[in-house]
Structures are given as C-alpha cells and as structure tokens.
Amino acid sequence: MPFFKITLIRSAIGLPKKTTGVLKALGLRKRMATVFHPVSPQVAGQIMAVKELVAVSEVEQALTKSEMRTNRRPDPGYYIETPATEALEARI
C-alpha cells in the first residue's frame, strides 16, 4: 500500500488560519517534520492546499520514528583519520 511522505519545508508563520489548520490536520507542527499518510484523494487535496510549504514523495512503506532516526545516523565506521590542520601543514 503506497504512502505519501510529507515534510514541512517552510514555516506557516503569518499565513491564514485555514492554511495552518490544514498543516495541523496533516500532523505537521514544526519545520522539517515528516509524516506518512496513505494515498487517498482527501490527503491529496490537503497537500494541494499547502503545496508551497511541503515536500511530498510517494513511498511503499511508512517508516516509524525510530526507523527514520536510524536512517539519519551516519555509519559508525566512518572516522576522519587526520585533522584538517595536519593536512594543511603537510602541504606547506
């Protein structure tokens, strides 16, 4: 079952109450917050009402908060081997 992945990109400060109400109905409160909703005409209509404020993509599965958090974390095996100052000193 496909889902809409909706991320609030722009703030709703200073916008009409109708627009902020649509964002609340979608479950978006803070910038860069992401929610998943099943694909339906009702949700598509809500997205069209705030299309300038959100980024939307269609995904196959909705992710939980813990899954999204683990996707944002970098690989634990990645380390910077030499600090930048040492690399600059080696060039000179």
Side-chain angles (χ1 to χ4, degrees):
M1 179 172 158
F3 287 88
F4 285 127
K5 177 183 177 185
I6 309 165
T7 304
L8 181 61
I9 301 298
R10 302 205 41 174
S11 174
I13 294 174
L15 294 178
K17 288 189 178 188
K18 180 179 178 181
T19 304
T20 57
V22 171
L23 291 174
K24 285 182 183 179
L26 286 171
L28 296 168
R29 300 182 191 281
K30 297 182 178 182
R31 285 185 63 234
M32 303 311 291
T34 301
V35 293
F36 292 90
H37 287 285
V39 173
S40 68
Q42 293 83 11
V43 175
Q46 289 177 332
I47 292 170
M48 289 302 293
V50 293
K51 64 183 177 279
E52 299 87 8
L53 306 175
V54 297
V56 181
S57 61
E58 191 172 332
V59 295
E60 286 299 317
Q61 289 184 338
L63 300 176
T64 63
K65 286 185 179 183
S66 61
E67 289 172 338
M68 288 193 316
R69 190 177 305 121
T70 56
N71 287 344
R72 285 193 307 260
R73 288 191 181 154
D75 293 333
Y78 176 75
Y79 299 103
I80 297 176
E81 293 182 15
T82 59
T85 55
E86 290 178 16
L88 288 175
E89 289 174 0
R91 282 187 178 176
I92 298 177

